[in-house]
């Protein structure tokens, strides 16, 4: 038994971990997940670094914007956020047909090139607003596409017992990229001078995209995508390599047989459907519609917690709570990033595949609502007075900002991406994730554009903003309680049964079989031979 297997057995508590062979938890599956997640790091990095760049004096001077508190700077901030998210929205939708046509691996490599082109344009803008906007839009297109492809690729490769942990790495890499960007802004503010103050943080955004490109070249394609292309021998070889098991191992035979059975049933039902036919089936078939609505609603709820309001406007919020000085607010924002990363790691290790996704969403809904209500009521009852010391109640309000970050990463941050990538049926996984990701970008945009207005207009000192987000958090508890099932430890192929699709015929084997994996008339399909053990559904 490897060291990683021993550690996982102590921290992951589900039936799959107890029954599956320990060889499948080798280093390859972790390398694969981390490689793909550099696309997520690009999003966190790009989103966080720009907030510090646009208020730097050299940037304001070169782009002719006037004083740091001018209307031009405020408009530029909103436009840049909108441009990046517009690109992300487009990329998330376009990625679905592309990744189904060209595969997960090569689409991620292509995405990394697109992000690099956008970053180069931003760093080379040097006072040209058009080039800056174009660079942000192009980079956003790549980042949005990665948000669709990354969870699909990881979930299709991950062992079922730790699929939540590995898929949730997407959120961990987002917050890690954001944390690094926060500290880069802080360092640049202290140690850099002249044009390099904004050129360096814009150019260093290329690092995660470059790592995505290099690392994905070392990884294999998704075995489930290969199976859908009728490349059966290659699919089984990749699955064997990823699982670190021989092709004739009973566990590998069982997992491969599940892939075959599900794909055979899908093709029997729908055949060679087009993208638009699949989209239509998603909304007309009750079980598929239910899964799509769950994924989309979870993404709406994720943004309505107010998380990106705090991410984008953290320095302003810290100042509203009584902190003074640019360095102090930037430093506090850096600490906020560390809290997010630490909390996300704790969730992925100890909660995603042990406590489960559903329970995590339930209790963090209450936690987030409580801290948001405290902040709102504090600002309403005893708002901070400029020039006076922060009272004890104010310091606790500051602590509540960090508690909110922890609660979000314990549930609504990573769990939504896990659900979106694992509950759709295989033939609709890319479309489902694309719609969920596009919804996330759309409501990310809505929150980012409305929060400054809310802070200025919804009650004195904007206290109503926090009460609104807190109310959404409490309402999300009831949505999860009534509509969201638990999926920890369940194989991707067993999701149909979880969502009410009856099993067509019993899976009986323990016999020697030889034949075509799918339609007997397909001449391009490979023959498979081997011992098949009985397929047991985890429920």
């Amino acid at each position: 038994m490897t060291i990683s297997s021993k550690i996982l057995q102590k921290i992951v508590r589900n039936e799959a971990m107890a029954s599956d062979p320990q060889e499948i938890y080798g280093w390859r599956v972790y390398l694969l997940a981390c490689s793909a997640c550099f696309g997520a790091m690009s999003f966190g990095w790009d989103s966080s670094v720009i907030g510090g760049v646009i208020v730097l004096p050299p940037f304001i001077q070169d782009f002719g914007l006037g004083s740091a508190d001018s209307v031009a700077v405020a408009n530029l901030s909103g436009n840049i956020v909108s441009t990046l998210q517009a690109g992300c929205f487009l990329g998330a939708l376009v990625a679905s047909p592309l990744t189904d046509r060209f595969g997960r691996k090569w689409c991620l490599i292509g995405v990394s090139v697109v992000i690099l082109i956008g970053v180069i344009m931003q760093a080379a803008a040097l006072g040209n607003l058009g080039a800056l906007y174009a660079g942000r839009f192009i980079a956003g297109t790549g980042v949005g596409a990665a948000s669709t492809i990354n969870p699909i690729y990881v979930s299709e490769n991950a062992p079922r017992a730790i699929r939540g942990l590995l898929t949730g790495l997407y959120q961990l890499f987002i917050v890690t990229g954001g944390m690094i960007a926060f500290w880069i802004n802080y360092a640049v503010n202290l140690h850099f001078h002249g044009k390099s103050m904004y050129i360096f943080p814009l150019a260093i955004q290329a690092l995660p995209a470059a790592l995505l490109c290099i690392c994905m070249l070392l990884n294999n394609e998704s075995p489930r995508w290969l199976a859908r292309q009728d490349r059966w021998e290659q699919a089984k070889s990749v699955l064997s390599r990823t699982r670190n098991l021989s092709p004739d191992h009973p566990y590998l035979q069982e997992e491969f047989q599940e892939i075959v059975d599900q794909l055979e049933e899908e093709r029997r039902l729908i055949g060679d459907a087009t993208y638009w036919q699949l989209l239509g089936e998603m909304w007309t078939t009750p079980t598929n519609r239910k899964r799509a609505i769950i994924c989309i609603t979870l993404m709406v709820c994720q943004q309505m917690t107010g998380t990106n309001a705090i991410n984008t406007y953290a320095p302003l919020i810290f100042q509203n709570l009584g902190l003074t000085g640019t360095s102090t607010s930037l430093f506090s924002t850096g600490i906020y990033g560390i809290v997010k990363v630490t909390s996300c790691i704790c969730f992925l290790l100890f909660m995603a595949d042990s406590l489960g996704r559903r329970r995590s969403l339930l209790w963090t809904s209450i936690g987030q609502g409580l801290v948001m209500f405290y902040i709102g009521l504090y600002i309403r009852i005893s708002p901070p007075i400029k020039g006076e010391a922060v009272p004890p109640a104010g310091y606790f309000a500051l602590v509540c900002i960090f508690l909110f970050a922890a609660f979000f990463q314990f549930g609504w941050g990573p769990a939504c991406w896990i659900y979106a990538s694992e509950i759709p049926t295989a033939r609709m996984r890319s479309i489902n994730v694309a719609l969920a990701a596009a919804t996330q970008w759309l409501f990310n945009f809505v929150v980012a554009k409305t929060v400054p207005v809310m802070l200025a207009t919804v009650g004195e000192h904007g206290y109503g903003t926090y009460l609104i987000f807190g109310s959404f958090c409490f309402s999300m508890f009831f949505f999860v309680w009534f509509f969201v099932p638990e999926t920890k430890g369940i194989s991707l192929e067993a999701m149909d049964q979880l969502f009410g699709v009856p099993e067509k015929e019993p899976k009986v084997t323990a016999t020697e079989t030889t034949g075509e994996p799918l339609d007997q008339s397909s001449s391009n399909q490979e023959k498979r031979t081997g011992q098949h053990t009985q397929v047991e559904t985890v429920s």
Side-chain angles (χ1 to χ4, degrees):
M1 185 181 294
T2 64
I3 295 177
S4 63
S5 298
K6 292 179 180 178
I7 296 174
L8 284 174
Q9 281 192 328
K10 292 183 180 298
I11 61 177
V12 176
R13 304 290 183 181
N14 60 44
E15 294 179 9
M17 174 58 69
S19 60
D20 293 348
Q22 303 306 308
E23 293 88 346
I24 67 177
Y25 307 113
W27 59 271
R28 286 191 181 93
V29 71
Y30 302 108
L31 174 63
L32 176 149
C34 291
S35 298
C37 286
F38 281 116
M41 182 176 283
S42 287
F43 163 55
W45 200 308
D46 291 11
S47 300
S48 300
V49 80
I50 195 66
V53 166
I54 59 176
V55 297
L56 294 173
F59 182 89
I60 294 171
Q61 180 179 353
D62 287 358
F63 284 83
L65 302 178
S67 62
D69 57 352
S70 66
V71 175
V73 171
N75 289 335
L76 176 63
S77 177
N79 291 339
I80 288 177
V81 170
S82 302
T83 303
L84 175 71
Q85 291 165 336
C88 289
F89 182 81
L90 175 65
L93 293 177
V94 170
S96 176
L98 290 179
T99 191
D100 282 345
R101 174 66 179 85
F102 299 105
R104 320 316 191 195
K105 171 183 175 176
W106 289 105
C107 279
L108 281 173
I109 292 173
V111 158
S112 67
V113 175
V114 172
I115 297 174
L116 285 171
I117 292 172
V119 169
I120 291 171
M121 292 180 66
Q122 292 176 62
L126 297 176
N128 188 324
L129 275 175
L132 182 66
Y133 287 138
R136 295 291 290 175
F137 182 83
I138 292 171
T141 303
V143 169
S147 71
T148 295
I149 304 168
N150 180 345
I152 298 172
Y153 179 72
V154 176
S155 68
E156 290 184 345
N157 281 276
R160 58 182 180 176
I162 58 170
R163 190 175 61 248
L165 187 156
L166 295 182
T167 307
L169 286 176
Y170 180 85
Q171 180 69 19
L172 176 61
F173 273 65
I174 288 177
V175 296
T176 301
M179 179 192 70
I180 295 172
F182 287 149
W183 288 109
I184 286 177
N185 288 343
Y186 182 67
V188 164
N189 186 59
L190 293 179
H191 303 294
F192 281 62
H193 304 282
K195 295 180 185 293
S196 62
M197 289 184 72
Y198 68 85
I199 293 176
F200 177 78
L202 290 177
I204 200 66
Q205 294 176 103
L207 180 59
L211 290 173
L212 174 65
C213 182
I214 294 169
C215 292
M216 285 307 302
L217 289 170
L218 305 175
N219 286 281
N220 294 311
E221 183 54 85
S222 161
R224 286 171 169 84
W225 182 83
L226 292 170
R228 294 183 65 79
Q229 307 305 308
D230 295 327
R231 293 156 63 176
W232 292 98
E233 289 301 319
Q234 190 177 353
K236 196 166 190 177
S237 174
V238 168
L239 193 62
S240 173
R241 187 168 185 267
T242 305
R243 296 291 182 264
N244 197 29
L245 296 172
S246 63
D248 58 353
H249 190 283
Y251 175 88
L252 195 75
Q253 292 280 6
E254 177 182 329
E255 184 173 9
F256 187 70
Q257 182 64 35
E258 286 184 347
I259 296 172
V260 170
D261 290 343
Q262 188 194 42
L263 191 52
E264 182 179 22
E265 180 63 24
E266 288 175 1
R267 289 186 175 177
R268 183 184 297 120
L269 292 173
I270 198 165
D272 296 325
T274 65
Y275 173 84
W276 295 108
Q277 288 172 326
L278 290 175
L279 192 62
E281 186 198 354
M282 173 182 289
W283 295 110
T284 56
T285 305
T287 180
N288 293 331
R289 182 170 62 245
K290 178 181 179 181
R291 287 184 261 194
I293 291 174
I294 287 175
C295 292
I296 290 172
T297 306
L298 284 174
M299 288 302 182
V300 173
C301 291
Q302 184 194 65
Q303 294 307 305
M304 295 313 295
T305 60
T307 181
N308 278 311
I310 297 179
N311 291 344
T312 306
Y313 304 105
L316 174 62
I317 290 172
F318 282 122
Q319 290 175 6
N320 285 346
L321 292 176
L323 293 182
T324 58
T326 302
S327 295
T328 302
S329 61
L330 287 175
F331 182 80
S332 300
T333 305
I335 299 298
Y336 175 77
I338 293 176
V339 172
K340 292 174 64 178
V341 171
T342 306
S343 304
C344 190
I345 291 173
C346 292
F347 170 80
L348 296 177
L349 289 178
F350 302 108
M351 298 174 67
D353 291 304
S354 298
L355 179 63
R357 295 81 148 123
R358 185 174 184 270
R359 290 183 181 177
S360 299
L361 292 177
L362 287 171
W363 79 266
T364 55
S365 298
I366 301 300
Q368 290 172 153
L370 289 174
V371 297
M372 279 292 190
F373 262 69
Y374 179 86
I375 296 171
L377 292 174
Y378 163 72
I379 295 176
R380 173 65 180 88
I381 297 170
S382 179
I385 301 174
K386 187 174 182 180
E388 294 188 7
V390 180
Y395 279 113
F396 187 73
L398 293 170
V399 171
C400 282
I401 295 292
F402 298 114
L403 286 175
F404 175 86
F407 287 140
F408 183 78
Q409 300 306 324
F410 280 144
W412 285 91
C416 295
W417 290 107
I418 295 171
Y419 270 110
S421 64
E422 68 183 6
I423 67 174
T425 190
R427 67 184 178 278
M428 297 181 184
R429 185 167 294 124
S430 65
I431 299 177
N432 201 302
V433 175
L435 290 177
T439 302
Q440 191 260 358
W441 294 119
L442 176 62
F443 278 82
N444 189 323
F445 164 80
V446 170
V447 171
K449 291 293 285 184
T450 57
V451 162
V453 179
M454 291 170 67
L455 289 173
T457 61
V458 185
E460 189 176 359
H461 302 288
Y463 75 89
T465 304
Y466 306 97
L467 298 182
I468 290 173
F469 286 132
S471 299
F472 272 109
C473 291
F474 286 129
S475 66
M476 286 149 43
F477 173 91
F478 297 100
F479 168 73
V480 175
W481 180 269
F482 289 108
F483 299 107
V484 180
E486 182 56 73
T487 59
K488 70 171 182 178
I490 300 176
S491 70
L492 294 180
E493 286 68 35
M495 293 295 173
D496 284 349
Q497 298 170 47
L498 177 67
F499 282 90
V501 178
E503 198 171 5
K504 298 296 181 184
E505 55 188 27
K507 306 277 194 309
V508 235
T509 71
T511 61
E512 192 80 21
T513 61
T514 305
E516 298 292 343
L518 294 172
D519 187 357
Q520 296 284 346
S521 64
S522 299
S523 59
N524 63 340
Q525 294 170 350
E526 302 288 346
K527 287 186 177 181
R528 55 179 172 81
T529 328
Q531 289 282 355
H532 298 299
T533 56
Q534 185 174 358
V535 178
E536 297 179 357
T537 302
V538 180
S539 60

